[in-house]
Amino acid sequence: MEFEAIPGVGEKTAAALSELDDAERALREGDVATLASAPGLSEGRAAAVARGAIRRRHDDGGGFLATDRAREVYDDVLGLLRERTVTDYAARRIETFYPTRSASRIDEVREFVERATDRDADSDVLEALEGVEPLAPPPTRRVRDRCLATADAERYAEAEEAFPELSVEVVEDARGLAELARSYATVVALDEQFAGVDVEGDVRVRPDALAAQAEIVPERVLARFAENRDRILAAAEVHETAGMEPPCDLAALRDALTRLDEDGTVVGDAELDRLSTAVDDLDATVSTAESVANDRLRDAIRERDVTIEGTDFLSLVEQGARVDSLLDRELADEYDDAVAAAREHLVEALALRPEEADFAERAFPDDPSFPVEHQEAVVSRLRTELTAGRDRRAARLKRELAADLSALREPVETLVRDALELDVELAVARFAADFDCTLPAFGDTDEGGRAGDEDGHGFAIEGGRSPLLDVPFEAVDPVDYEVAGATLLSGVNSGGKTSTLDLVALVVVLAQMGLPVPAERVELQRFSELHYYAKTQGTLDAGAFESTLRDFRGLADGAADRLVLVDELESITEPGASAKIVAGILEALAEQDATAVFVSHLAGEIREAADFDVAVDGIEALGLEDGELVVNRSPVKDHLARSTPELIVEKLADADESESAFYERLLRKF
């Protein structure tokens, strides 16, 4: 893949992506965790790169969110979805969903949604997800008991890059290999020319070493699994709890992990434990064995009836008097028993095998002496044999376990990735359930529900409820609203006009992300852009006013498939001038046959100023109860809603008959 062809990816990012083993898959699947493991890529940047790759795949030029307020609504949508994720991965992965005009992208996400909403967001599954994280690269650990050897400079460079854990040495001949073999437990020769060379020590000729890295450095595989043990086991638990089909035998995976310690060493092997313990305890055990022999001899000497008192004899011996012949003559059997006890203690305490027990026999001399002392040369040889046995077995077990785990590497990556993706699916499923969502219908879909070529027009929402309001979702009044063409939305203050615009924007953004919408039914066209202009705070100065007009000038030449939402544009300047400006903008949009909703308190004035029949809808206040508005939140078609002041005057006219003439006069002004 040409990474620089992805929108927003430059030379530096492309170089970082090229270092990933499976960058193309990660880009295709939106795998933010894998992308974020590229050098220098943050999670946020990885999400942006994933979005760029998706846009490229669907030939999507972007630009759907055309204004700051539109982007704010999108951010609100992401926030609602993130609140329903468990893992940090899912929170970032959610950012790869974005609103688009691309029919293929919308269909792709809708297929994902259909799978996701079949999931059961069980609390046990959510709890299991808490332990899942993307696999982390282990730290590189130096392995000092072996090295690589080569006579080729090019191969030397390749080996250094491929095996950062090992020392790589340059040798010219067998003599050089022999020198290395005296310094390292194992030497791996990379050149075929060394085949058949007779060198003392563990020297292996492996021209294929670069292709067999797990075998040459099993510690790398073991370190990766040790580093990620908890994440892997958590992912396995997620699969079992959620009833998902795992990509590998979980029992075999758990068994392999039980053989691996947290520091990457092999555990659970009785023979390796025996050898390791024997090496660690050898000196202390030999010392104890000496004590066993000498204690026995002391006791025997004290109890013997000899020419001199036993205690005097013992004193002489301990002062260094030579008594070998006397021991041989008087205490031969006792000495043999004492040495036998020392040998037996050494064998039993270290659990020596029969082939190793011979060293115990030779560690204590048959010739009588007192005090009994071990033969250091024999003990040193035993130490060498035990250490070599330990290292050979550890190396073999490492290779065997690394081979088992290497076979599980890709399935485990899939296992963890699927668990993380489940969190994304459950976030969408929980969103859909929490807000009573349904998949919208596009007016330009074919019989199979897929987006077609000919656009429908406008939008129609039935039973829509916004989760963005500062009230519990259950308390939100449902709204029905349908618009085709350029429309004015009138209504009383605090009647819900801005909330209606927010609902429309929210529904359109979700629909064109491919996600379900919080409504009973929605049908809409696929819009190319969403232009949502929020209410301005107070009258604009000349510069800001000019800038605003320039923004709307751009809309005048726009395409018919834009959606334009504007909240009280009249506040930009004086009411009289505002009405004329809004009328002119609506005229331009009407000529494009665009879909637009302008919220305004000047609907009557705008309608009079426009040179076409402007549609006016109204959010009607039904009256006042205890000083509070009672409102029908669904806009009434072709209806100019009464204002709050009109309702108050009407209420006063009905309530105070003595002053009714005054209030009736005021009402006639409306």
Side-chain angles (χ1 to χ4, degrees):
M1 175 184 289
E2 182 60 45
F3 295 130
E4 290 189 54
I6 298 171
V9 173
E11 182 180 350
K12 184 177 180 180
T13 301
L17 293 173
S18 66
E19 295 192 26
L20 297 176
D21 292 334
D22 53 355
E24 292 190 23
R25 178 205 59 77
L27 290 166
R28 183 175 62 255
E29 298 177 6
D31 184 353
V32 176
T34 296
L35 296 176
S37 66
L41 242 64
S42 66
E43 289 184 343
R45 176 66 178 144
V49 170
R51 285 195 301 272
I54 293 169
R55 285 198 169 100
R56 179 173 182 267
R57 190 170 71 249
H58 292 282
D59 194 23
D60 177 7
F64 179 85
L65 302 169
T67 62
D68 289 343
R69 180 59 188 143
R71 286 184 284 272
E72 288 173 1
V73 172
Y74 171 59
D75 288 340
D76 290 339
V77 168
L78 293 183
L80 292 171
L81 290 166
R82 282 196 204 97
E83 289 173 4
R84 287 157 181 80
T85 61
V86 177
T87 63
D88 291 339
Y89 168 86
R92 284 298 186 186
R93 172 78 165 85
I94 288 295
E95 296 177 19
T96 64
F97 297 104
Y98 65 93
T100 175
R101 192 183 188 280
S102 168
S104 60
R105 172 57 180 172
I106 292 172
D107 288 341
E108 183 177 73
V109 177
R110 285 168 70 98
E111 291 176 5
F112 170 88
V113 169
E114 289 174 356
R115 294 194 307 272
T117 50
D118 285 339
R119 298 287 192 188
D120 181 15
D122 182 87
S123 59
D124 290 339
V125 176
L126 298 178
E127 183 178 351
L129 278 168
E130 292 178 359
V132 183
E133 295 180 60
L135 297 176
T140 300
R141 298 171 180 170
R142 294 291 293 178
V143 178
R144 304 187 184 281
D145 67 346
R146 78 197 75 121
C147 75
L148 303 175
T150 179
D152 185 272
E154 184 175 338
R155 188 164 297 170
Y156 173 88
E158 293 176 352
E160 275 210 321
E161 182 177 356
F163 296 97
E165 304 92 340
L166 302 180
S167 293
V168 184
E169 306 289 346
V170 176
V171 296
E172 296 181 357
D173 49 29
R175 179 181 297 177
L177 279 181
E179 290 178 359
L180 286 178
R182 285 193 289 271
S183 302
Y184 292 94
T186 301
V187 177
V188 179
L190 304 179
D191 307 329
E192 188 71 46
Q193 72 184 61
F194 293 117
V197 172
D198 185 13
V199 176
E200 185 177 350
D202 185 8
V203 177
R204 306 172 188 176
V205 180
R206 293 294 304 270
D208 64 337
L210 296 180
Q213 296 184 25
E215 185 178 348
I216 303 300
V217 190
E219 292 87 353
R220 182 185 302 175
V221 177
L222 302 183
R224 179 175 179 80
F225 277 83
E227 180 77 13
N228 294 286
R229 175 207 301 276
D230 293 342
R231 305 173 190 209
I232 295 169
L233 293 175
E237 183 181 355
V238 167
H239 277 71
E240 291 175 331
T241 307
M244 299 167 62
E245 185 68 29
C248 60
D249 184 337
L250 296 184
L253 173 61
R254 287 194 174 100
D255 176 69
L257 290 176
T258 60
R259 293 148 56 194
L260 183 65
D261 202 359
E262 60 183 14
D263 63 355
T265 57
V266 179
V267 295
D269 181 76
E271 177 62 7
L272 180 60
D273 291 344
R274 181 191 73 83
L275 289 167
S276 298
T277 301
V279 172
D280 293 341
D281 295 350
L282 178 59
D283 289 338
T285 304
V286 168
S287 178
T288 301
E290 285 182 345
S291 298
V292 168
N294 288 316
D295 289 346
R296 285 205 173 202
L297 277 178
R298 286 189 180 92
D299 292 341
I301 292 170
R302 288 191 183 99
E303 295 172 2
R304 285 293 286 186
D305 184 13
V306 292
T307 305
I308 60 175
E309 292 292 329
T311 54
D312 294 336
F313 176 74
L314 181 59
S315 177
L316 289 171
V317 169
E318 290 179 339
Q319 290 174 20
R322 289 189 57 81
V323 291
D324 295 353
S325 59
L326 184 59
L327 282 173
D328 190 25
R329 185 180 72 247
E330 300 289 341
L331 298 169
D333 292 340
E334 288 79 355
Y335 179 83
D336 290 342
D337 290 343
V339 169
R343 294 167 175 167
E344 183 179 356
H345 176 80
L346 192 59
V347 170
E348 292 180 354
L350 299 180
L352 298 179
R353 301 292 188 196
E355 62 273 16
E356 300 159 348
D358 178 59
F359 289 99
E361 290 290 324
R362 293 184 284 115
F364 296 98
D366 291 326
D367 296 335
S369 64
F370 189 83
V372 177
E373 295 180 346
H374 68 274
Q375 300 293 313
E376 181 56 39
V378 177
V379 172
S380 179
R381 181 65 187 277
L382 175 59
R383 181 183 297 105
T384 299
E385 291 295 319
L386 291 172
T387 302
R390 179 199 63 187
D391 292 345
R392 283 194 302 270
R393 188 163 188 85
R396 180 170 66 81
L397 291 173
K398 283 181 181 179
R399 289 193 297 271
E400 291 174 353
L401 182 54
D404 292 344
L405 292 175
S406 291
L408 290 169
R409 176 168 179 167
E410 289 189 9
V412 161
E413 290 175 350
T414 302
L415 181 83
V416 174
R417 193 161 56 239
D418 288 351
L420 292 168
E421 282 296 312
L422 175 65
D423 190 19
V424 183
E425 293 179 6
L426 292 181
V428 172
R430 294 164 71 190
F431 174 87
D434 289 348
F435 302 124
D436 297 331
C437 293
T438 185
L439 278 173
F442 287 93
D444 53 334
T445 55
D446 60 22
E447 293 181 357
R450 293 166 299 190
D453 296 326
E454 298 299 326
D455 282 345
H457 195 61
F459 62 83
I461 300 171
E462 292 182 10
R465 291 188 293 165
S466 173
L468 301 179
L469 298 175
D470 292 331
V471 296
F473 183 72
E474 296 76 14
V476 176
D477 293 328
V479 172
D480 299 336
Y481 195 31
E482 181 176 350
V483 171
T487 303
L488 286 168
L489 178 59
S490 62
V492 296
N493 289 329
S494 303
K497 300 186 297 300
T498 299
S499 297
T500 300
L501 283 192
D502 285 347
L503 174 65
V504 173
L506 177 73
V507 165
V508 171
V509 167
L510 281 167
Q512 299 205 204
M513 291 172 74
L515 297 176
V517 298
E520 294 175 5
R521 188 187 75 84
V522 169
E523 184 172 345
L524 73 162
Q525 73 179 84
R526 280 186 298 120
F527 297 104
S528 63
E529 296 173 359
L530 171 61
H531 294 258
Y532 185 2
Y533 295 90
K535 185 187 307 183
T536 59
Q537 300 299 317
T539 302
L540 302 180
D541 60 30
F545 176 70
E546 180 181 343
S547 176
T548 300
L549 289 184
R550 289 182 183 276
D551 287 343
F552 283 96
R553 170 64 183 84
L555 288 176
D557 296 330
D561 56 0
R562 292 177 177 179
L563 173 62
V564 182
L565 305 175
V566 183
D567 194 3
E568 295 189 22
L569 184 61
E570 62 263 25
S571 62
I572 64 174
T573 188
E574 296 85 356
S578 293
K580 296 173 183 178
I581 291 170
V582 173
I585 295 171
L586 286 171
E587 289 169 1
L589 293 173
E591 290 172 0
Q592 302 170 21
D593 198 24
T595 301
V597 180
F598 278 57
V599 166
S600 179
H601 289 290
L602 303 175
E605 293 85 340
I606 294 169
R607 185 165 55 182
E608 291 178 4
D611 62 2
F612 76 106
D613 188 11
V614 182
V616 178
D617 301 333
I619 294 179
E620 181 70 6
L622 304 179
L624 293 167
E625 289 185 7
D626 300 325
E628 298 291 333
L629 282 171
V630 178
V631 180
N632 175 12
R633 302 291 180 183
S634 296
V636 179
K637 301 300 295 181
D638 301 320
H639 175 73
L640 180 60
R642 292 178 296 172
S643 66
T644 303
E646 182 181 358
L647 289 171
I648 294 173
V649 173
E650 182 181 85
K651 177 183 178 181
L652 291 173
D654 293 340
D656 192 344
E657 294 182 3
S658 64
E659 302 290 343
S660 61
F662 172 74
Y663 296 126
E664 290 292 343
R665 172 178 292 183
L666 294 181
L667 279 175
R668 285 195 295 274
K669 299 298 181 181
F670 287 97

